[in-house]
Amino acid sequence: MKDKEKSRDQLWAEISELREEVQELKFYKAVLDQLPVCTILYDASETVIYRNRASKAIDGYEHQELVGLSRDEYLKQLHIKQGKAIKMKDPQKDSSYFKKSIYEMNETTLCTKNGTLRDVLLVGDFIYDEEENLLGACGCAVDITEHALKDNMYKLLAENAQDLIFRYRLVPSFQFEYVSPASSVIAGHRPEELYENAYRAFSGVHPDDRPLINAQLQSPQPLSATIRLVHKDGTTKWVEVKSIVVNDRYGNPAVEGIIRDVSERVQAERKLIENLRFLQKLIDTIPNPVYYKDNNGIFRGCNAAFETDMGFTKEEIMGRSIYELRTKDLADIYTEKDCELFRTNGKQVYETVIPYADGTMHDVVLYKGVFTDSNGGVAGLVGVIIDVTKSKETQRALSESEDLYRRLVELSPELIGVHDFTGEIVFSNQAGVKLLNAKNEAEIIGKNITQFIHPDCMQAVTEAMQKMLETNEPLHWFEQKLLTLDGSPFEVEATGVPLHFRGGPAVLVVARDITERKQWEREMSRLEQLNLVGQMAAGIGHEVRNPMTTVRGFLQMFQGKNDLMPYKNHLNLMIEELDRANSIIGHFLSLAKDKPVDKKVQNLNSIVEALSPMIQANVFRYDMYLELKLPEIPDLSLDEKEMRQLILNLCRNGMEAMSPGGTLSITTYAEDEEVVLSVADEGKGMQPEVMENLGTPFFTTKDNGTGLGLAVCYSISARHNASIGAVSTSEGTTFSVRFKLMG
């Protein structure tokens, strides 16, 4: 009887012990289920026996879809390839199982249930019992898709950076592992030359600075110095060098650095700890702080990252509440969140601020979830701390940078626009809106760029765009004509740059309005022509006039001879032609820019009023009308004789442009520190090609014209520091002469 009771006691003791072990296993399973790292367990026959909740987040498969598969079936189901592997030797023994060595770190891809590919980092380890018997294996996967994209981006940035970026290893021999193309500019050596002979880089260091570099090879301390570098061509330059000694994944030392650029480098991602042993060791491999509490808010454990970042050892937090570790205001916040999680019995994700071991406050995201006891009740919580301080700082920096560039584009006086490869405009700044005479950006977006290109320039622009697409190189600045929304032409100087915009290929267009510059160039060319003609006239005018005067005198004498009376009409015609030639020579002399003028302070209205009877008579002669508008204006320094010639020439052109019944208007007024003389007719207007040649000597549209009338007007205005402008429509032409007020 006594033996029976003893046997029963032993049985109950074993049952109790088993219950405690089951409780402990459930606890660790709950911890595993809350981890954000995908975790898979194999038994000794390479069969999948467990997947935590994070696994579904990566591959999308339910628990029951993959548990029970062999390792080969599991890898085939997820299309996991070999990838870049680092084999990890079993420190215990060689297993007769797992011959394909899952005990290695792999950077590879897997295919999710919905067919998308994810970049992942795989790591595994053996699991043994207390007698060193192999029980199975544990595998973990971390989604590094975004990191892979960043790696490609960083390589592209390094390849295109102006600074020299390098990495060299120290063992087993000194050799460069990477040198950016900028080495050709900074050191004069192509990367291939440095790969072939690494000592070429150090031979270029100035002899006085070589001890500093040699010390770097012997010291693990970071280097930040300004040294002299002898270029391959013999020139010496100062460069700024920053480098640091790091260990590769094998523990071998290597030096990474950047020459001349002091911008921050993207810090390397933490490496996962290669060996994952048992559950607590698995938690310790997570680079983020992980902690767990019971349902009373008492800490029951943490990982190594928590100890490092938070500044508390595992022994210091075990059995203590948050109120014993943090200030009351922070503890109240954390406790309120914990209680809320216990009430909802689910997961919790939120941002907060936590003091780190160095005393600084860090922005973090807390991922928390509850775990249950054997009865299904809430036993506690697991929390993971993700430090987002740097990402927030980067986000703020990117936002500020984006705002800066947006302001620069919007405030630029030049047209800046983007169109896709079909020509559809997808962006324009305010200068572009104004230049194209639009009310807002919406009137431009969506339209094709060809709508705004002048027909005369369409072929040249099309060829330039085709060349840019073929070479993927920016266009050189070139001149062209564009059209506003209402069809008005204007001249620009433009360039195009290929780029990616909103996920697709596009072209950045920059254009500046050169209409005024081209007008000024034409004006300068016209003035040079006027001056040249004037110089020629001044040189030959007197030489021609003297013989003409003699001839005219003899012709007048012949008119008084009775025997020549039959030729009187011929003699009169000859004298008229001589007078016409003399008048043309007089116009020539008026074109000279250095012609002396007799300026006096007087009122322009007085000169117009003095000429009005003569102009009125000519207007009535051709059955036209004269309209004068002469309000009070300031006095000017004028040569009256030249002003009379200028006014009469403009009026004569206006009358010759009109049909009977038209009105010639002469107006004066003051505007913007200037006095304006305006002569307007009601003719048919002038064509654009005629407008471009106004004032050019000998250019005329009249059958009997000399092409000197307007040229003389422009020459007179130049001698009075004035300018002439013309506006012509189908309803008439207006010439405006603008005189600057006297200082």
Side-chain angles (χ1 to χ4, degrees):
M1 184 69 182
K2 186 175 181 181
D3 291 338
K4 281 187 177 182
E5 290 178 356
K6 182 178 180 180
S7 177
R8 187 181 303 114
D9 291 340
Q10 290 176 344
L11 181 60
W12 279 111
E14 291 177 0
I15 292 174
S16 298
E17 184 177 353
L18 286 174
R19 285 178 177 176
E20 290 177 359
E21 291 179 358
V22 169
Q23 183 67 20
E24 183 178 0
L25 288 174
K26 288 185 177 181
F27 166 77
Y28 283 117
K29 181 179 181 300
V31 172
L32 282 175
D33 280 338
Q34 300 302 322
L35 291 178
V37 177
C38 168
T39 304
I40 302 130
L41 297 180
Y42 299 89
D43 63 14
S45 63
E46 296 191 356
T47 300
V48 178
I49 60 173
Y50 170 78
R51 282 164 40 90
N52 70 344
R53 297 176 183 175
S55 301
K56 180 182 177 182
I58 292 182
D59 57 39
Y61 284 96
E62 297 293 341
H63 176 79
Q64 62 274 14
E65 292 181 272
L66 298 179
V67 171
L69 297 179
S70 68
R71 177 176 175 275
D72 289 340
E73 291 172 336
Y74 183 82
L75 297 179
K76 183 177 180 181
Q77 181 73 19
L78 298 181
H79 299 277
I80 297 178
K81 300 179 180 179
Q82 182 68 20
K84 293 186 293 184
I86 308 166
K87 293 186 178 180
M88 301 172 64
K89 296 180 180 179
D90 177 9
Q92 304 285 342
K93 63 186 74 174
D94 290 331
S95 173
S96 58
Y97 302 103
F98 305 103
K99 295 184 177 58
K100 296 182 181 179
S101 182
I102 66 169
Y103 313 105
E104 57 186 21
M105 185 177 290
N106 280 278
E107 184 178 332
T108 183
T109 60
L110 63 77
C111 181
T112 66
K113 186 176 181 179
N114 61 12
T116 60
L117 286 178
R118 307 295 294 178
D119 290 287
V120 294
L121 193 63
L122 305 179
V123 67
D125 200 359
F126 295 102
I127 299 176
Y128 301 94
D129 62 15
E130 295 178 354
E131 285 76 28
E132 300 297 327
N133 297 315
L134 179 66
L135 299 179
C138 173
C140 292
V142 178
D143 190 343
I144 60 168
T145 303
E146 294 186 3
H147 297 290
L149 294 175
K150 289 182 179 179
D151 286 343
N152 291 333
M153 179 186 70
Y154 296 150
K155 181 177 180 181
L156 180 62
L157 290 174
E159 292 295 319
N160 292 278
Q162 294 181 352
D163 302 316
L164 194 163
I165 302 172
F166 65 88
R167 175 187 173 95
Y168 59 85
R169 66 171 182 259
L170 299 175
V171 293
S173 62
F174 171 62
Q175 185 175 357
F176 277 105
E177 293 183 344
Y178 174 77
V179 180
S180 67
S183 63
S184 300
V185 177
I186 296 177
H189 294 287
R190 293 178 290 104
E192 293 78 7
E193 296 179 89
L194 299 180
Y195 293 147
E196 180 182 352
N197 185 355
Y199 288 95
R200 285 175 177 162
F202 292 95
S203 64
V205 178
H206 192 277
D208 294 343
D209 297 323
R210 288 176 185 173
L212 185 64
I213 301 301
N214 290 332
Q216 168 69 16
L217 299 178
Q218 307 298 326
S219 172
Q221 298 302 318
L223 172 68
S224 178
T226 301
I227 64 170
R228 285 160 292 181
L229 185 67
V230 180
H231 194 272
K232 186 179 180 180
D233 61 10
T235 59
T236 301
K237 63 176 70 176
W238 288 92
V239 297
E240 198 171 52
V241 179
K242 289 183 180 293
S243 64
I244 187 172
V245 176
V246 298
N247 289 328
D248 62 17
R249 62 182 62 182
Y250 302 103
N252 297 322
V255 176
E256 295 178 350
I258 185 167
I259 296 179
R260 217 178 127 203
D261 187 0
V262 296
S263 61
E264 294 184 5
R265 293 188 59 218
V266 177
Q267 298 299 322
E269 295 289 337
R270 293 183 178 184
K271 290 191 290 183
L272 291 173
I273 297 179
E274 297 177 346
N275 297 318
L276 300 175
R277 296 189 179 278
F278 302 104
L279 297 180
Q280 183 59 49
K281 185 176 181 180
L282 177 62
I283 296 174
D284 281 337
T285 62
I286 300 174
N288 304 107
V290 178
Y291 63 92
Y292 35 96
K293 304 177 182 179
D294 62 21
N295 54 11
N296 294 316
I298 303 301
F299 281 95
R300 294 304 179 190
C302 67
N303 69 344
F306 186 95
E307 293 180 298
T308 302
D309 293 347
M310 301 299 109
F312 300 106
T313 65
K314 189 180 303 182
E315 290 73 19
E316 288 175 330
I317 69 168
M318 290 285 287
R320 304 175 69 180
S321 72
I322 190 65
Y323 286 95
E324 299 175 78
L325 304 175
R326 300 296 186 193
T327 59
K328 184 177 183 304
D329 54 344
L330 289 177
D332 286 341
I333 296 174
Y334 302 150
T335 301
E336 181 180 353
K337 286 291 187 180
D338 289 349
C339 292
E340 180 183 337
L341 177 62
F342 288 141
R343 287 194 301 270
T344 58
N345 194 18
K347 295 182 180 180
Q348 193 178 71
V349 180
Y350 63 92
E351 292 189 22
T352 186
V353 178
I354 290 180
Y356 266 50
D358 59 3
T360 60
M361 301 298 290
H362 286 231
D363 293 306
V364 300
V365 176
L366 279 177
Y367 291 84
K368 296 193 295 186
V370 298
F371 59 88
T372 58
D373 57 21
S374 59
N375 298 320
V378 175
L381 63 85
V382 176
V384 180
I385 302 173
I386 308 296
D387 189 349
V388 295
T389 305
K390 289 185 179 180
S391 63
K392 279 184 170 289
E393 291 174 353
T394 302
Q395 184 178 359
R396 285 192 291 267
L398 288 174
S399 178
E400 292 172 0
S401 176
E402 180 183 356
D403 183 63
L404 172 62
Y405 284 111
R406 182 172 59 251
R407 289 176 180 272
L408 289 175
V409 170
E410 289 299 334
L411 295 177
S412 172
E414 299 177 343
L415 180 154
I416 300 178
V418 179
H419 66 80
D420 61 22
F421 274 19
T422 67
E424 181 180 339
I425 299 174
V426 295
F427 171 79
S428 174
N429 66 346
Q430 288 303 309
V433 172
K434 182 178 179 181
L435 200 58
L436 296 176
N437 199 24
K439 295 180 181 178
N440 50 54
E441 189 179 2
E443 290 189 340
I444 301 175
I445 301 302
K447 289 183 170 58
N448 198 280
I449 190 68
T450 56
Q451 179 177 338
F452 300 97
I453 299 175
H454 195 281
D456 295 345
C457 302
M458 185 66 70
Q459 182 177 354
V461 173
T462 302
E463 292 175 354
M465 293 292 292
Q466 184 63 34
K467 180 180 178 181
M468 182 186 66
L469 296 180
E470 293 174 354
T471 62
N472 200 33
E473 294 290 335
L475 295 177
H476 295 293
W477 288 91
F478 66 100
E479 295 181 2
Q480 60 171 299
K481 288 184 180 180
L482 298 182
L483 301 173
T484 62
L485 276 177
D486 58 11
S488 301
F490 63 97
E491 295 180 274
V492 299
E493 190 175 47
T495 184
V497 181
L499 51 71
H500 272 74
F501 186 77
R502 295 174 182 171
V507 178
L508 171 68
V509 177
V510 181
R512 59 173 70 106
D513 190 353
I514 59 171
T515 303
E516 292 185 2
R517 190 185 82 187
K518 300 298 289 186
Q519 291 175 347
W520 176 251
E521 291 175 353
R522 286 192 288 267
E523 179 70 11
M524 292 298 296
S525 175
R526 183 187 57 75
L527 290 177
E528 287 298 324
Q529 294 177 12
L530 291 177
N531 184 43
L532 178 61
V533 173
Q535 290 176 350
M536 293 173 58
I540 67 174
H542 294 293
E543 299 298 329
V544 176
R545 272 182 166 176
N546 290 338
M548 289 175 59
T549 302
T550 302
V551 173
R552 193 179 192 283
F554 276 106
L555 290 174
Q556 287 178 323
M557 183 181 69
F558 291 157
Q559 283 181 323
K561 300 289 184 179
N562 292 329
D563 55 343
L564 295 176
M565 290 302 293
Y567 302 103
K568 183 176 182 180
N569 291 337
H570 293 81
L571 294 174
N572 288 336
L573 178 61
M574 294 171 68
I575 291 174
E576 289 176 1
E577 290 301 318
L578 285 173
D579 289 342
R580 173 175 168 82
N582 190 48
S583 175
I584 293 174
I585 293 174
H587 286 320
F588 279 163
L589 294 174
S590 297
L591 297 177
K593 68 178 181 180
D594 54 354
K595 177 184 176 183
V597 292
D598 183 18
K599 294 182 181 180
K600 296 179 181 178
V601 178
Q602 52 190 310
N603 198 280
L604 184 59
N605 284 348
S606 300
I607 300 175
V608 175
E609 290 171 349
L611 291 174
S612 61
M614 182 189 305
I615 300 173
Q616 185 77 58
N618 287 328
V619 167
F620 286 161
R621 178 182 174 187
Y622 295 106
D623 193 21
M624 298 176 183
Y625 301 94
L626 176 66
E627 180 181 31
L628 298 178
K629 295 180 182 179
L630 307 175
E632 184 177 347
I633 57 175
D635 292 340
L636 300 169
S637 179
L638 304 171
D639 184 318
E640 181 177 356
K641 184 178 179 181
E642 289 204 330
M643 286 300 102
R644 293 168 65 90
Q645 186 177 7
L646 181 145
I647 294 169
L648 289 175
N649 283 357
L650 292 178
C651 290
R652 185 181 302 111
N653 286 344
M655 288 185 290
E656 291 176 353
M658 292 191 298
S659 302
T663 299
L664 181 70
S665 301
I666 303 176
T667 306
T668 60
Y669 57 91
E671 180 182 72
D672 297 334
E673 302 297 322
E674 294 179 328
V675 172
V676 182
L677 167 66
S678 173
V679 179
D681 63 57
E682 295 180 348
K684 297 180 179 179
M686 294 180 288
Q687 297 298 321
E689 57 271 17
V690 176
M691 293 285 290
E692 291 182 359
N693 289 283
L694 288 179
T696 302
F698 308 115
F699 177 79
T700 180
T701 58
K702 305 172 186 176
D703 294 335
N704 297 318
T706 63
L708 295 174
L710 271 180
V712 169
C713 292
Y714 275 89
S715 183
I716 292 173
S717 69
R719 288 194 289 272
H720 284 77
N721 195 25
S723 62
I724 298 180
V727 177
S728 185
T729 66
S730 59
E731 297 179 355
T733 301
T734 301
F735 281 88
S736 299
V737 186
R738 295 182 173 271
F739 302 88
K740 297 187 181 299
L741 295 179
M742 294 185 298

